[in-house]
Amino acid sequence: MAEIYFNALDYNVVGDGKTNNTTAIRRITEMIEKRGGGTLYFPPGEYVTGTIELADNMTLYLEGGAVILGSADPADYPMITKEQLPGYNREGHSGLIKAFRKSHVTVTGRGVIDGRGQNWWGDPKNESRPRAIQPILCDNVLIEGITIINSAMWTVHPMCCTNVTIDKITIKNPWDSPNTDGINPESCSNVHISNCTIDVGDDCLTLKSGTEDDELQKQYPCENIVVTNCTMLNGHGGVVLGSEMSGGVKNVTISNCVFNGTDRGIRIKTRRKRGGSIEDININNIMMNNVLVPFVINGYYQCGGVSPDDMSLFSLEKLPLRGDTPIIRNITISNIRAKNVTASAGYIYAIPEQPVTGISVLNYSVEMLASDEEPKDKPIMAFHVRKTRGEGLFCANIKNSILRDISIKVARGNGLELLNAENVIVDNFFVEGAEQTTKLTKCSRVKITE
């Protein structure tokens, strides 16, 4: 059966950059849904619209020269409520492109989606802003070829989806735009992200699985994820895991990527009472330039959902294990080359009652720059922050781990500092410019060999 094809201009859609086409486009998508699928084609032109809701077996195709312009009217983005989506605690406007409980949906072509986030960024605390592309509880999602700019909030946000492919897309949001992450798979499985360029105002790519209060998302781990051949520019992190990790993040490979100016390169973040685990993560063959720190694992990340008076969350003392104590284990970071690094050659500060276990840092080369500038953000909260400017590798509360074939050129301080480390092998560690090559505090069974 031939695929049903709809040219938007044949159905009262106007590409003049002024006419609001929300209603006209909705009528087309309703026809596609009744017919069991089809392609909605946008030829060159500028199309103002609110939410476009995809149907089963639907392709949204943007020709080169076609631009979707997000409407400035919040009413054009229907609210997603807790009643509509039980267990979803982040009520907000529907995405500019949205799919809900659909299968085989595609957004493709050579055109542009412009979220016109400038209509929303004036209130950065408003997290109900629409995503640019938002599939929810969908199966077989394909996003390829397009360019997305000026997203109002997170740009591509598949949530509780399976079999997601994101290929050859470009994302560009202003460096100072609030919460405009690039690609955020949340509680998704079987995800392939490749050949993308991401330049945004927050994290370039983040893997999430909900907070302890997100009853929907934490039912689904974020698992079986591949990220490859991508370029990450600016932003607060190249690839970030957490802090929303209550459903778990596992079985992840990140390889063959370039990070430039991303503040942190790889960032893993959580805190007490968040629960979940981050495990079986393989990070390989990454080139980094002009980052604060190539990788951070932070068990003291300050995030929401807790009373600001509950300072026990951020205590450096060893507390009793709980059912909601987060777990980080089996992380391999290998074949990393980072230069023009300003804050630290690497930073791990896990909580003492649940050390990071099974971390391997292999074939790792870092060149630090001397800098008196404070880092833009602190790896842990300010009241017990350890200042790291131009210093080496710092690891607190790690266990059963290997640091091998490491070369670090520092501007000051220690080459390697271990605090509360147990059963750690340090092999072929070379440091230049350090005041002290290694510093061990409260460590046991640490073996250092040349």
Side-chain angles (χ1 to χ4, degrees), residues 212-288:
E212 60 269 39
D213 298 319
D214 290 325
E215 296 302 326
L216 173 65
Q217 296 97 304
K218 71 180 185 182
Q219 296 178 50
Y220 303 88
C222 198
E223 62 181 345
N224 307 333
I225 315 293
V226 175
V227 179
T228 188
N229 298 341
C230 291
T231 300
M232 316 293 187
L233 305 172
N234 302 311
H236 293 309
V239 177
V240 179
L241 289 75
S243 67
E244 298 93 323
M245 54 160 284
S246 296
V249 178
K250 58 185 179 180
N251 301 336
V252 177
T253 292
I254 302 158
S255 66
N256 302 330
C257 293
V258 173
F259 299 173
N260 195 337
T262 60
D263 286 5
R264 297 116 181 125
I266 302 296
R267 187 182 188 190
I268 297 174
K269 55 184 182 178
T270 187
R271 59 146 170 79
R272 291 179 173 108
K273 296 187 179 180
R274 181 119 287 182
S277 66
I278 293 176
E279 58 186 318
D280 299 325
I281 313 297
N282 186 12
I283 301 154
N284 179 55
N285 199 25
I286 311 291
M287 295 292 295
M288 301 186 193

Side-chain angles (χ1 to χ4, degrees), residues 4-267:
I4 302 170
Y5 180 89
F6 296 82
N7 185 322
L9 296 183
D10 294 337
Y11 295 88
N12 301 316
V13 173
V14 181
D16 61 0
K18 298 178 182 178
T19 303
N20 189 321
N21 295 287
T22 305
T23 300
I25 292 172
R26 184 174 66 247
R27 289 172 180 155
I28 303 173
T29 60
E30 288 173 349
M31 286 190 287
I32 292 174
E33 185 171 24
K34 288 180 181 179
R35 287 165 171 77
T39 294
L40 173 53
Y41 172 78
F42 286 89
E46 296 184 340
Y47 305 91
V48 177
T49 183
T51 296
I52 299 174
E53 187 144 359
L54 305 181
D56 283 324
N57 307 307
M58 178 175 168
T59 295
L60 178 66
Y61 190 99
L62 305 181
E63 186 58 86
V67 182
I68 299 293
L69 296 173
S71 167
D73 185 354
D76 288 332
Y77 307 85
M79 294 296 290
I80 302 172
T81 67
K82 296 178 183 179
E83 289 72 27
Q84 296 168 333
L85 194 58
Y88 184 63
N89 288 318
R90 294 177 232 157
E91 294 186 327
H93 291 277
S94 294
L96 179 53
I97 312 296
K98 175 190 173 185
F100 180 58
R101 295 188 184 277
K102 303 302 179 185
S103 179
H104 295 93
V105 293
T106 299
V107 181
T108 188
R110 298 179 295 158
V112 175
I113 296 173
D114 184 348
R116 297 206 288 186
Q118 59 270 23
N119 295 314
W120 301 84
W121 295 330
D123 183 6
K125 294 184 178 180
N126 173 20
E127 295 195 359
S128 71
R129 291 169 274 154
R131 279 63 167 155
I133 300 181
Q134 185 183 39
I136 302 172
L137 291 163
C138 294
D139 179 53
N140 287 298
V141 177
L142 173 62
I143 303 168
E144 65 174 358
I146 59 170
T147 295
I148 310 171
I149 61 175
N150 302 318
S151 182
M153 185 71 181
W154 296 349
T155 306
V156 178
H157 179 209
M159 189 178 79
C160 303
C161 295
T162 57
N163 303 316
V164 178
T165 299
I166 302 171
D167 188 28
K168 299 184 182 69
I169 73 169
T170 298
I171 298 174
K172 180 70 172 75
N173 299 321
W175 68 270
D176 58 349
S177 53
N179 306 111
T180 57
D181 295 31
I183 301 174
N184 286 5
E186 182 170 22
S187 298
C188 293
S189 61
N190 307 334
V191 179
H192 288 76
I193 301 169
S194 57
N195 308 307
C196 297
T197 299
I198 306 172
D199 183 352
V200 294
D202 207 329
D203 296 325
C204 293
L205 191 154
T206 303
L207 305 178
K208 302 175 178 287
S209 62
T211 72
E212 60 269 39
D213 298 319
D214 290 325
E215 296 302 326
L216 173 65
Q217 296 97 304
K218 71 180 185 182
Q219 296 178 50
Y220 303 88
C222 198
E223 62 181 345
N224 307 333
I225 315 293
V226 175
V227 179
T228 188
N229 298 341
C230 291
T231 300
M232 316 293 187
L233 305 172
N234 302 311
H236 293 309
V239 177
V240 179
L241 289 75
S243 67
E244 298 93 323
M245 54 160 284
S246 296
V249 178
K250 58 185 179 180
N251 301 336
V252 177
T253 292
I254 302 158
S255 66
N256 302 330
C257 293
V258 173
F259 299 173
N260 195 337
T262 60
D263 286 5
R264 297 116 181 125
I266 302 296
R267 187 182 188 190

